[in-house]
Amino acid sequence: MQDEGPRAGGKYGPYIQSERCHIYQEKIQILLENGSAYRCFCSNKRIELIRRAALSRGETPKYDNKCQHLTQKEIDAKMKDNIPYVIRFKLKLNETPWEDVVHGTIVNDIALVEGDPILIKSDQFPTYHFANVVDDHTMAVSHVLRGVEWQSSTPKHIQIYEAFGWKPPVFAHMPLLVNKDGTKLSKRQGDIHVEHFKDQGYYPESILNFICHVGGGFGTDQTAGMSFDDLISKFSLEKLKKTPGRLEFDKISRFNHETLIQKIQGNERHEILQQVLKLVSEKYGSEFIENNDERSLQQYLEAVVDWAKVRINRIEDLLLPEFKFIWVQPSFDDIKNLSSFSCNCQQVLESTIELLETDNHFKPETISKLLHNHVKELQLKFKTYMHLLRYSISGRKEGPGVVEMISLLGQKQTVERLKLCLEHIKLSQT
């Protein structure tokens, strides 16, 4: 929840830059008066010529600080003629080291590689270099956390703080996030937008855990499943990684899996069950297994979620084809290949139905024992028997163990499906 800003307000407002121009004008006067800044009247044409000349020599373009040496008389004359100007900061040669919480001691004499930077543009609006210093100081910012691409600009920002006589904040430059192959992220990549992951059914906690895993700061890569409070308590700027964090998006599913299990086993279990019911009802409509006993439906959803939690990464995965048998009875079309089995399917199914209907316990261990004994009586290969039962129950040739499927579906539903197969066999014989 935002406790300060353009909408929430706060004691350090205004928070919109265009509404702070009077503050920037007040502060720039201080630098002009103490000689730390000066007006630059160089035209865009001259600046462009300087740039081209530097490039032709194979040098990095930088302003030559010409206007730093104008006399007051020359300045007054140009002001009288209304010549447009910007206000630049006088960089000093300075090799004083400064501390970056992430990268340690940094020594970088900015004046050797850059010309005097612009603080106020010709339209009287501030540049980032000036606005960020003024805003951070006047808003009592103690720590500046930003991307490592700003590290090279920090020495000039420190010089601006010192020109005002202000104490600089603590700086920490964080590693950039890049693609798996090391290339830069792009706004044109649809798969890096928050909306993309939200639409795909990933939880906010999972994305947060994933980003924390990539960037570090916790002394461990095992951030999957960490609560927000755990992340806060374990985080340390000193533990942030120095190298760019590669976004291996294929790992997000593992992080979401951990979050999903926590939700299923925690206080959000009821919400998960309701979400499953809504998804399945919308997907399958009237095909969804009918059950007029609300408590039994609740128990069935509980059983499905507990069984599936180690098999899925998102709730939406329960709508994948391999899980359709959980929600919908196989159609005649799904089981049209019963005749391809090398056994008397009618006899096998009739005897199995009778066997399962008389099982008063219907527990995985009793079902397993019954099927193992029965296959011996039928003188069938166990593999053939299991394939037939799986196909009859789900309409699929591959999937979970048959005992698992039967236990999950329950006695009534399993028997109904086997009887449906019998009906199909009899119809195909007429």
Side-chain angles (χ1 to χ4, degrees):
M1 180 68 70
Q2 186 186 58
D3 59 2
E4 183 180 357
R7 294 181 181 177
K11 63 180 180 179
Y12 294 112
Y15 295 93
I16 296 174
Q17 190 177 82
S18 60
E19 297 175 3
R20 295 175 61 81
C21 286
H22 64 287
I23 299 175
Y24 305 129
Q25 289 301 319
E26 174 192 327
K27 299 304 181 185
I28 198 64
Q29 289 305 314
I30 296 174
L31 297 186
L32 285 170
E33 290 172 7
N34 70 18
S36 298
Y38 61 93
R39 292 180 176 87
C40 172
F41 299 89
C42 292
S43 66
N44 290 336
K45 182 178 181 180
R46 181 175 187 276
I47 298 298
E48 178 62 18
L49 289 173
I50 292 172
R51 189 187 72 84
R52 291 183 181 180
L55 291 175
S56 68
R57 296 190 301 269
E59 300 173 357
T60 301
K62 68 174 184 176
Y63 178 57
D64 61 3
N65 303 342
K66 174 186 176 182
C67 289
Q68 185 181 138
H69 309 291
L70 292 176
T71 65
Q72 188 60 49
K73 185 178 180 180
E74 289 174 317
I75 294 171
D76 292 341
K78 291 179 182 295
M79 294 282 287
K80 185 177 180 180
D81 291 339
N82 292 319
I83 297 176
Y85 65 88
V86 299
I87 300 178
R88 293 181 182 270
F89 180 74
K90 290 182 182 178
L91 286 177
K92 298 177 182 177
L93 290 171
N94 188 350
E95 294 186 355
T96 303
W98 58 277
E99 292 298 316
D100 186 314
V101 177
V102 177
H103 299 271
T105 302
I106 306 291
V107 178
N108 180 13
D109 193 340
I110 195 74
L112 293 176
V113 294
E114 288 190 25
D116 292 341
I118 295 173
L119 299 186
I120 298 291
K121 297 178 288 186
S122 58
D123 61 4
Q124 299 305 299
F125 273 80
T127 60
Y128 169 78
H129 299 300
F130 188 56
N132 96 86
V133 170
V134 172
D135 292 344
D136 288 350
H137 176 76
T138 56
M139 294 182 180
V141 170
S142 61
H143 290 66
V144 173
L145 278 63
R146 57 192 180 188
V148 73
E149 72 270 26
W150 287 106
Q151 189 182 71
S152 61
S153 295
T154 303
K156 81 178 72 168
H157 298 161
I158 292 175
Q159 285 197 30
I160 296 172
Y161 277 103
E162 292 173 344
F164 278 115
W166 298 338
K167 180 182 178 180
V170 174
F171 290 100
H173 291 88
M174 297 176 287
L176 300 180
L177 298 179
V178 297
N179 288 309
K180 187 176 181 178
D181 60 3
T183 57
K184 286 183 63 176
L185 298 178
S186 168
K187 291 180 181 179
R188 286 189 283 264
Q189 289 177 243
D191 59 356
I192 64 171
H193 295 180
V194 171
E195 292 82 0
H196 168 78
F197 296 107
K198 181 180 178 181
D199 294 342
Q200 292 295 313
Y202 292 102
Y203 295 115
E205 303 95 317
S206 307
I207 304 303
L208 178 61
N209 290 154
F210 173 67
I211 297 298
C212 289
H213 160 78
V214 174
F218 305 91
T220 176
D221 287 336
Q222 304 305 315
T223 57
M226 275 193 184
S227 68
F228 192 57
D229 288 339
D230 284 340
L231 291 171
I232 291 174
S233 66
K234 294 180 185 300
F235 179 74
S236 170
L237 286 173
E238 289 80 1
K239 295 177 182 176
L240 279 171
K241 297 177 181 178
K242 297 180 181 180
T243 55
R246 296 186 180 234
L247 292 172
E248 300 180 71
F249 291 116
D250 51 327
K251 290 185 178 180
I252 291 182
S253 293
R254 175 171 66 85
F255 284 82
N256 209 67
H257 176 77
E258 294 291 337
T259 303
L260 178 58
I261 288 180
Q262 289 181 348
K263 290 179 179 290
I264 290 172
Q265 296 175 340
N267 297 330
E268 297 181 55
R269 182 179 179 87
H270 177 72
E271 287 77 7
I272 293 293
L273 295 175
Q274 293 304 306
Q275 184 184 357
V276 172
L277 180 59
K278 182 175 182 293
L279 286 171
V280 173
S281 299
E282 290 176 351
K283 172 75 173 179
Y284 297 112
S286 59
E287 289 185 279
F288 180 39
I289 298 172
E290 294 183 8
N291 195 325
N292 295 322
D293 186 338
E294 184 177 342
R295 190 178 65 174
S296 293
L297 176 58
Q298 175 76 10
Q299 290 175 338
Y300 184 59
L301 290 174
E302 297 240 15
V304 169
V305 167
D306 286 333
W307 173 81
K309 65 186 179 187
V310 298
R311 296 171 170 81
I312 61 174
N313 296 316
R314 306 171 304 140
I315 284 298
E316 288 78 4
D317 290 346
L318 286 171
L319 301 182
L320 293 173
E322 57 260 41
F323 297 120
K324 184 178 179 180
F325 77 93
I326 299 173
W327 315 113
V328 178
Q329 288 187 346
S331 65
F332 279 169
D333 191 57
D334 292 329
I335 54 176
K336 62 185 178 183
N337 293 321
L338 275 170
S339 58
S340 65
F341 288 90
S342 58
C343 62
N344 187 331
C345 293
Q346 182 173 341
Q347 178 189 352
V348 172
L349 292 177
E350 285 176 342
S351 61
T352 301
I353 290 169
E354 182 180 353
L355 183 74
L356 295 178
E357 283 183 325
T358 57
D359 182 4
N360 296 323
H361 302 288
F362 215 78
K363 301 290 183 182
E365 55 273 16
T366 60
I367 296 170
S368 179
K369 186 175 181 180
L370 285 173
L371 295 181
H372 273 85
N373 290 336
H374 191 55
V375 75
K376 293 177 183 177
E377 295 171 2
L378 294 170
Q379 296 183 340
L380 272 179
K381 289 182 178 180
F382 187 75
K383 185 176 180 180
T384 301
Y385 186 38
M386 291 298 104
H387 282 178
L388 173 60
L389 292 183
R390 179 182 292 109
Y391 186 73
S392 301
I393 292 169
S394 67
R396 297 182 64 85
K397 294 182 179 180
E398 297 179 347
V402 172
V403 174
E404 280 186 69
M405 296 173 72
I406 292 175
S407 301
L408 181 63
L409 291 170
Q411 188 174 33
K412 177 184 175 183
Q413 187 61 220
T414 301
V415 170
E416 281 186 8
R417 294 186 181 201
L418 295 180
K419 287 182 176 179
L420 180 70
C421 288
L422 271 180
E423 182 183 349
H424 174 72
I425 292 171
K426 292 175 181 178
L427 286 174
S428 63
Q429 291 174 346
T430 58

